[in-house]
Amino acid sequence: MTSDARSAESPAAPADAFPDASADAARPFREWLAGQRTQDGVLLLGDARPFFHDESAYTAHHGEDPAPLDAGQGLAALLRATGADMSAPALEIGCGFGYLSLGLAVDNPFPLLLLTDTSPGFLRILGDRLHAHGVAWQADESVHAAPRMGCPDMPGPDTFGPDTFGPGAVRLGILSGDAMQEIPDASLSCIAMRATLHHVADVDAFLAQAARVLRPGGHLVFEEPCREALLLMGVLVAQMPELAAARGVEVTPRQLELVDLFRRMVEFYCRQDIDKSTAEDKHLFHPVEIAARCRAHGFDTTVYANTTLASLKYLHGESPLPPTFFHDTTRAYIGEVCRMPELVPLFDATIAASCAYIDACSRGGRGPHYIGVFDARKG
C-alpha cells in the first residue's frame, strides 16, 4: 500500500464489525481494532512494506506444503497441552503466505485471531488461501472499502459475508514486530511467529512490547532458526574449494562465487556489531541466548530443540531426529533454502563425510541446534 492509498482509506470500522466474544478478556483488543482504519478488509495498523523477494515467487518456492495445516494446529496443540489461557485474542506477526496461519485459523481456539505482515502482497496471498480453506477474514462488508491503489489484487469486502465466521473471528492486518506500541496493555493471550524474530531490528524492544501486551500467563510462541548449526554450515562450506582441490575435484567460477556468498551470508547473520537495519534477514541466535533475552523481559521459556511447530501437532515434546539429520539438513539448506543447487555436487564430493561425522557424534542427543520452538510464558 502506498502513501497515496492511505488518503483513500475507509473510515474506522464500527465496533460490531468484530463478532462478539464470550469472554470479557477479548474486549480491550477488539475495541482497539474497532477504531482502526481498513483497506479492502485489511486493518491498517502500521506502515506497509513489500518483502525483499517477490511474494508470489517466494510462495511458489516455499509454499508447497503437503500438510498446510500442521504448523498452526501444532501451535494450538502446544497451548492446549500446557494449559494456556486462550480467552483473549491472539496475534501472529510476520504471517507471510500463511505457513503457520492456515492451521491456526482453521483450528482457531481464540475469540479473535489477527494475522499480520508488513507486505500487502503476502496478505493478498494469505487471504486467497484462507478463502480456499473456508475461513472468512474480512471486516463487516458494510464498511466501505478504499480504492485498491496500493494492493490492486487484494480481494474486496464482498468476498465473504459477516455470518460465515467459525468459532473465532479471523482478521488480517498490516503490522510489524517493530510497531506494537499502540496495542493495549495485557490484551492478548498469545503472540505467535514462525521464522520472524530474525527479521526484527531491535529484538529486546520487541520482547519488551510482547511482555507488555500479553496477559499474565500469556504465551509468546515462535519457531526460529538457530545460530549453532548455521555457523557450522558456514565453516564447512568455506572449506569446500580447498577440499575439492585436494581431491582433484573441479570447482567452477560460479561455485566459488556461491561459496563466498554463503560464507558472507552466515557471517552477516551471526555478527551483532554491525548495522542491519536495512536488511531483510538480520540475526541468528543460540537457543540459550534467546531464552536469556526472554527471561530478561519476564518470560519463562521452554525450548524444543530441532523441533518444528508442525511436529508438535503429533507429539508434545522434542521430535525424534533421523540419524542423518545434520547431513540432510545441511544439504537441503544449501540447495533448496538458499537456492544454490550448483553447490550440492560440491557438497557431496567434499563435506558430506564431515556432516556424517557430526551426525555420528550427535547420536543419543539433539545435535547442533538448527531450528527450535520457543514457548515463552509471561510470569
Side-chain angles (χ1 to χ4, degrees), residues 88-127:
L91 167 68
E92 183 187 357
I93 297 172
C95 62
F97 58 78
Y99 187 95
L100 173 60
S101 316
L102 285 180
L104 197 56
V106 170
D107 189 24
N108 183 9
F110 302 99
L112 175 62
L113 172 63
L114 177 62
L115 309 171
T116 69
D117 202 283
T118 60
S119 164
F122 272 144
L123 292 177
R124 175 187 58 79
I125 291 168
L126 176 55

Side-chain angles (χ1 to χ4, degrees), residues 14 20-21 31 45 80 92 100 148 232 267 274-275 308 320:
D20 288 337
E31 290 180 347
L45 308 173
R80 292 189 180 103
E92 183 187 357
L100 173 60
R148 299 180 188 130
L232 191 52
E267 179 182 354
I274 54 178
D275 180 18
T308 63

